[in-house]
Amino acid sequence: MLLLLILHAVAALAAPILVRFGGNRVLYGLALVPACTLLYAFFGNIGYEVHPWVPQLGVNLAFHMGPLARLMMMIVGGIGAIVLVYSARYFTDGEGRFAGTLLAFAASMTGLVLADDLIVLYVFWELTTVFSYLLIGHRPEQAAARRAAMQALVVTTAGGLAMLVGFVMLGEHAGTYRWSEISAGQLPSSGYLVTAAVLILAGALSKSAIFPFSFWLPAAMAAPTPASAYLHAASMVKAGVFLIGLLGPAFGDVAAWRAITVAAGLVTMLLGGWAAMRQNDLKLVLAYGTVSQLGLLTVAFGAGTRAAALAGAALLLAHALFKAALFLVVGVIDRVTGTRDLRELSDLGRRLPVLATAAGVAVASMAGIPPLAGFAGKEAAFAAFEQDRLVLLTLVAGSGLTVAYGLRFLWGAFARKPGVPAAAPASPGVLFTAPAVLLAVLSLAAGLLITRLDVLLAPWADAFGGPAYHLGLWHGFGLPVLLSVAVLAIGLSVWFGVARRGPWPAQRFPAAESVYRSIMAAVDRAAVEVTGATQRGSLPFSLGSILVVMVVIGAVTLGLGAPWPAAGLRLWDSPLQLVAGAVVAASALLAARARRRMTAMILVGVGGYGVAVLFILHGAPDLALTQFLVETATIVMFLLVLRRLPAFFSARPLIGSRIVRNLVAVASGLVAAGMAYAAVSGRQAIPISIDFPDLSVSYGGGTNIVNVALVDIRAWDTMGEISVLVVAATGVASLIFRRDGALRHRVPSSSSLPDGGAGWLRAGDTPEARRQSIILQVVARLLFHTIVLFSIYLLFSGHNAPGGGFAGGLVAGLALTTRYLAGGKPELNAAAPVDAGVVLGAGLLTAVGAGLAAMVAGGEVLQSALVDVHMPVFGHVHFATSVVFDVGVYLIVVGLVLEILRSLGAELDRQHASWEDASPSVPAAPDREKELV
């Protein structure tokens, strides 16, 4: 079963590429993927399959193909394959994105119906919501598609969250989330069970567009017709009624379960059928008809009896076949005539007789005419409610409306209408018509073979109560047969006696839809008000709000239940720690009061160096080295930006505001320190780091615990961090270099350098060079290679001594910074004549490649191996393969520094010079600073 899902996932990922190169013909091959689901449903064994997923939470990928799941897999797989074949002719251009999304949705539906774990079921449930959102909004340029997709997403997701709470209630009570074990065990008491049942029903009813959630489905007709045929006839909207049928044996005795499903289903059936009579768009006729039929399915599955359950299953199959066929018919009509408006279609039946015949068979099944599948299901529904006259009469009325809007569909699509010009459709072709014809034929075959369906579903239906009943085409003359005849008579009377005389009375879903729109409008208004009140564009206000919340919550937590040490506070281990801490605190206070930007930046740097001293005093030279390097690099980056800003901060705030800011700052520091102290002092579990010393040697092959942890034990964390660095560097460069809609080339050729790139000092005899120190340029040149060599030493020695890829990369970056500060852009380009993006990409590729190489070699991703070799010159060499990962980190850090130097340094210089040339009247930055002074 898991392999089936993997097959779908691989096909979904490959579909866009395959369709791009192979065109729509590839869809015929992709149809084989859901066809595999159909074959598995026919020939696979009913059983369980469990794969570990999140063992810490007791959640496994548990699958079970029971009888009802087998039926749903036939529908999902079979109609999915037919829709993909149909899509090859429906779309004129290659629609790889549509095919990939449809296959991903099919995978989600397959996982949903197979899932035996409630959490896994919920995951697939929400995946169907996400992919249906993408399918409904397949044409994002259309406002109607965007609105419909968002409406479906909001409604079904809200219901899904309520359902998740119900699942959690059941799982926590039972001690397991495996539904097969929950249903076989003791269910919770009545009140608890009722609450869980109602919450689960909220998800099921919203998914299947049952009143009061029915309004989203007609709007979803903005989706392409193949998506409508699959999602809204055969799969997605069936998920809710499938869940009701799956949980029915356990919840059937819950009064609230039966009352809600039957009442909501009956209301939906009547309102949907009534609304379908008013539509002029053929897809909307089918959409509201689908709503009505889903109401019937909800009544059947929710009744909790054996006969009703079998009726629901038969109707589930029949509806998937006839409604998918009708949607495909509408798609053909739309393509060959250019319209779906039944007022503009005339005499199409004579011109497209095969298509009209297929539609007629599908409508006959929907109306319940023997020997089609719809007749067997509807007769079973009438038999199941013989003793409940109110429900029975409502079903008859709703079924009569079904016959009426079925006739309206046939008349609107194929009949000759006086005063309407006859349609002149293009030939649809055999392959375009064949899917609808095949589904119509299957509707007949399913009716003839309905007893086989009864045998398949018997083990599931036996779990329900009630008298015995078996599906069949003929049970003798009785009330169900008479009611079937009455339904046809009512439908014909409504159509010929009322519907054709004038407009059908208006009745949609005004209350529910207006409530939804009011809620969404209120949410939008609240978002605007909250944003306007909290996001004023003021950094002090935004930061202050965050800090005040942190202070309040943290202070309350510390005051009520912080695990303070019983032995009292220990403020320091050494007087030197007190001195370093005092320097950090003093620098922070002075930085807050500084008026000059440069002064504040230097004081912040002093605080960082003080923290590095604390690391040294605590015996962490590796952390101290990294802190020193990071602080130095940060100061340089600040300098690059501050030289283009005024020397002083903006106008000082009022005295009252300064007092408030100081109080918030002090309180934040005290609360943060208290929380850190309490967290460390209150630790009860043994830290995982206690095993790091042994693991770093035995597992990582190094004695530097910090470095081994970064590149081996916790390599996934480092992978995430370096990925963020690459994204951040790319973002900074995009913002700085972007000009006139394109990124400017960032590495000038050697011909653009002074003297064509010749000369030892690349700054040359330029105005910029004359402002720089020749001595500094020479010293920077002489020391550059030594510093780079030292950075490489730190890279390779970091596994057993202070250093590593991060520290080595920072040292190399500082060497490049020295070259830039000494000679400007020419010296930087001479030192690193390569695009920073190439360095970043090479680093990320090296790091990822190191992880994948371990997997290819048979280990886990990012797992390292220890290598010992004897070389003639170097002697015995011992190293860990994680050093390759560290090389990637080194390159990324170097690329990041190079990107910042070229963007915040050289590019800002160029922009500033161009602004001065373009605006000679504007005083230079130093002059403006003097004015501010």
Side-chain angles (χ1 to χ4, degrees), residues 10-24 26-27 30 94-101 103:
V10 172
L13 293 173
I17 300 175
L18 295 176
V19 174
R20 174 180 296 180
F21 292 101
N24 284 353
V26 174
L27 297 180
L30 292 175
E95 286 289 346
R97 180 166 59 90
F98 176 85
T101 308
L103 285 168

Side-chain angles (χ1 to χ4, degrees), residues 108-131:
S108 304
M109 275 300 303
T110 304
L112 188 156
V113 301
L114 289 175
D116 187 48
D117 189 287
L118 294 180
I119 300 300
V120 175
L121 189 153
Y122 173 75
V123 170
F124 284 113
W125 185 279
E126 292 304 323
L127 284 176
T128 61
T129 297
V130 172
F131 291 121

Side-chain angles (χ1 to χ4, degrees), residues 534-560:
T534 58
Q535 301 296 325
R536 302 179 179 178
S538 170
L539 180 60
F541 180 83
S542 300
L543 185 59
S545 301
I546 296 172
L547 292 177
V548 167
V549 173
M550 186 270 289
V551 167
V552 172
I553 296 177
V556 171
T557 303
L558 291 173
L560 293 180

Side-chain angles (χ1 to χ4, degrees), residues 220-273:
M221 293 301 108
T225 299
S228 300
Y230 193 46
L231 270 67
H232 307 132
S235 54
M236 177 184 173
V237 293
K238 297 294 196 307
V241 293
F242 165 77
L243 185 64
I244 295 174
L246 180 69
L247 307 185
F251 287 96
D253 295 332
V254 179
W257 178 273
R258 186 179 190 277
I260 292 175
T261 54
V262 173
L266 292 175
V267 172
T268 303
M269 186 179 184
L270 292 177
L271 292 180

Side-chain angles (χ1 to χ4, degrees), residues 151-166:
Q151 190 176 77
L153 179 70
V154 171
V155 173
T156 55
T157 300
L161 291 174
M163 183 187 72
L164 176 62
V165 176

